[in-house]
Amino acid sequence: MKPLRIALAGNPNCGKTTLFNKLTGSHQKVGNYAGVTVDTKEGRLMHKGREIAIFDLPGTYSLTAYSLDEIIARDFVLDEKPDLIINVLDATNLERNLFLCLQFQELGIPIVAALNIIDQAEAMGLTIDHRLLSRLFQIPIVRTVGAKGQGLEELLDAAVAVAESPIAAIPTPYGNELESVLTGIIEVLNTDLPFAASFPSRWMALKLLEKDADAAKKLSAHKNRSLVEASLAAGILTLERHSGRDAEILISEARYGFIHGAAKETVTRDRATVPLTERIDSVLLNRLLGLPLFLGILWLIFQATFTLGAFPQEWLDLLFGWMAERARTILEPGLLQSLFVDGILGGVGSVLSFVPLVILLFLFISLLEDTGYMARAAFVMDKFLHIFGLHGQSFLPMMLGFGCSVPAIMAARTLKSTKDRIVTVLVTPFMSCGAKLPVYILLAGTFFSSHAGAVVLSIYLIGVLLALGSSWVFRKTVLRGETTPFVMELPPYRMPTFRGVVWHVWDKSFQYFKKAGTVILAASVLIWAITTFPQSPEGTPPEQAMEASVAGWVGKALEPLVAPMGFDWKVAIATVTGFAAKETVVSTLGILYKVGDSTKQEASLQAALRNDPVFNPLVAYTLMLFTLILAPCFAAQATIRAELGTRWLVFYVLFSIMVSWTLCFGVYQMGTLLGIGV
Amino acid sequence: MTIGDLKTGDSFIVKGVELSRETGKRLADMGFTKGVEGKVVRKALFGDPFQVCILGYHVSIRRAEAAGIQIERMVTPS
């Protein structure tokens, strides 16, 4: 028997992910669907001898064409044609959740609803007559508590039952006037049977009345397109003339009209309580306390990340050092040993030693997300970010950017408007990522020993200022346009579940592991190759061997370009390798200053740098700035390309080169002129 | 009168949304439709954005959106 294919849908914050994880356990994989580069998670399970595949759709409030997530959700249903949808409804927030349910019903697909978080709804004094609700919506409804795994068996039973007796979904009536207009348009749509088979006519008619751009595009495939358009125009005219309002608003009102009626009959509230959420918010969102509290939480997170992360980071450093030692004794000296020890272990090892930092940061961020505080942070920060043309919700990607740009850039998908999303992606790499830290630590530790902390902090701050400044510039130039709305739910606070947090941390860290495993590995080998070939005769000092290598030629060729920033050809090579992966700036310098195993002998690299007349505190600071601003690693660049396309990537790389060069030139020249740090 | 004219703690009934097509539709989909009751829960520092309770849940909107939502203020006995 073919596996049953079920799409899991629902609003954001309805407990959908928890339910998905409970249902599928660890049997999940990530796949791409419908040509969009957004991951749809797929999980498999067996229920009473029946194989079931569950696809986790993005959480959305509606199914308009205005946001990427919503288009993905509806296109999945249209293109992949799952057997049915399990629609997760947050019982504490029933009406808005039912709004999405009606829209899936319009797609003509069988639905089973999970009335989720029913325990909290009851604790709030809400009683929901789910049998009556089920009759009104003509769909089976099962009461569930996802976090406790309650009701899941019944939910799957209902799903299998629906799939085995496919009764055509009965559309919910939207009132006489709208229905008569709809009937007219559906009639014309049905004149093209193949078209009606791929796009359910009632759904298509509603979307066209909503002036949905994507539906209008799909209509061009209809053989009687002009007839449909005529019928549509007449319908819109009828509706809008009678009400004096826009057709798309009327349709939302029609849906809510039905929902309000159903809610009145099925939901009773026996007492009015002041929910805990409101009491917490009266402190955390207090007009005066809100911002200081938020900054305090942020400060605590960074303190905890860097203090706690230092220990495992040291252990990993030791582990990789030990592995390098072992490799040196096992492998014959020569190219293979060099490739493995200097190239692969050195490159990938230095990335992996940042895993603890990144995981800790993601852990704290996941806690903020899962409790519901992240939305409050966006609320508190929105006014400030708005000044620079950013969005309250840009805040989360920017925070993640301190860990690793790859998941951070992907997190920008939560932004509804394309322009907001582009701006956020473009400025996120300015948030100094974990991989840049070793460069700062080396240089600041060498040249600013007593003020190293303050110097590194200043680099982080410059990154934040650059992010805000560039956003402002983009908004005034290439991404001009009306400011987009900030309509964001402030979900009730929830106690994060252990599983949920682990899942989120894993989900984000996985992007980072994947990067270390693939792009960084490839980049490490590439860097090793260009610094090794063409090989110099045995016994050549490493520095001269490097000078004669491909990397040496590149460095020499670039020297005139970097000289105005106070760099020589060695620094030029380091920045070129840094283009691939930032952490390699340190290991490249290590090789260039012939201190052998660079990561282990930091003290000797520091001494070598101090003795090089090219370096002084000013040059070191300029190099830190250059590392901060110049385009992020290959992996981040690949992510930008995947999210925004090649044109934006090229724009971004050129922009970052221009900004980094100009700023570093300015800093170095001013510093030299004023005699600071020389 | 719009939500933008309301003070913290004021309750209202929605009459309609006068905003760009996309914003208007999004707000309507989030529940800001004719006849729905709501309340301004609080405003952030500098009076923007607004936290509004509608259909039993809380949502944050900017002053610009608040000023496009036509309402009738409800007189609530304090």
Side-chain angles (χ1 to χ4, degrees), chain A residues 287 379-380 382-384 386 486, chain B residues 43-50 61-64:
Chain A
R287 211 162 173 171
F379 180 78
V380 170
D382 180 66
K383 184 77 192 170
F384 175 72
H386 190 45
F486 176 62
Chain B
K43 301 175 187 178
L45 200 63
F46 307 117
D48 188 20
F50 286 49
I61 54 176
R62 282 196 186 134
R63 178 173 282 281

Side-chain angles (χ1 to χ4, degrees), chain A residues 534-546:
Chain A
Q535 275 188 292
S536 300
E538 199 72 29
T540 316
E543 191 187 349
Q544 280 167 32
M546 178 79 92

Side-chain angles (χ1 to χ4, degrees), chain A residues 395-415:
Chain A
F395 181 72
L396 172 64
M398 290 171 76
M399 270 290 285
L400 289 169
F402 285 124
C404 171
S405 293
V406 174
I409 289 165
M410 298 173 97
R413 282 178 191 159
T414 49
L415 287 144

Side-chain angles (χ1 to χ4, degrees), chain A residues 244-318:
Chain A
R245 296 216 296 290
D246 291 328
E248 64 266 37
I249 302 290
L250 287 176
I251 289 172
S252 298
E253 285 182 358
R255 292 188 190 118
Y256 269 120
F258 180 82
I259 291 166
H260 294 325
K264 220 171 240 151
E265 285 185 55
T266 55
V267 183
T268 46
R269 182 186 277 273
D270 62 11
R271 62 180 181 276
T273 52
V274 179
L276 182 62
T277 292
E278 193 32 50
R279 274 175 282 159
I280 299 172
D281 271 347
S282 64
V283 179
L284 287 182
L285 290 187
N286 178 290
R287 211 162 173 171
L288 297 174
L289 288 178
L291 196 60
L293 279 172
F294 162 72
L295 293 175
I297 290 171
L298 213 57
W299 183 82
L300 273 179
I301 286 179
F302 278 98
Q303 277 295 318
T305 303
F306 288 112
T307 320
L308 296 175
F311 299 103
Q313 198 178 352
E314 209 167 289
W315 304 331
L316 276 175
D317 259 354
L318 288 172

Side-chain angles (χ1 to χ4, degrees), chain A residues 225-243:
Chain A
R225 179 181 154 198
S226 51
L227 285 178
V228 178
E229 277 168 353
S231 162
L232 178 66
I236 290 177
L237 200 66
T238 311
L239 290 174
E240 294 191 343
R241 192 180 285 161
H242 282 187
S243 64

Side-chain angles (χ1 to χ4, degrees), chain A residues 74 78 106-107 182 185-186 189-190 195-196 198-212 214-222 228 232 251:
Chain A
R74 68 192 217 184
L78 289 171
E106 289 161 12
L107 278 162
L182 277 173
I185 300 170
I186 291 169
L189 280 170
N190 282 342
F195 184 86
S198 29
F199 307 112
S201 295
R202 186 179 170 82
W203 177 78
M204 189 41 99
L206 278 162
K207 286 294 143 187
L208 289 172
L209 282 174
E210 284 186 319
K211 299 158 193 165
D212 183 291
D214 185 57
K217 215 164 65 197
K218 287 183 165 122
L219 184 66
S220 59
H222 196 283
V228 178
L232 178 66
I251 289 172

Side-chain angles (χ1 to χ4, degrees), chain A residues 57-69:
Chain A
L57 299 187
T60 63
Y61 296 109
S62 183
L63 291 178
T64 64
Y66 290 124
S67 101
L68 191 57
D69 277 353

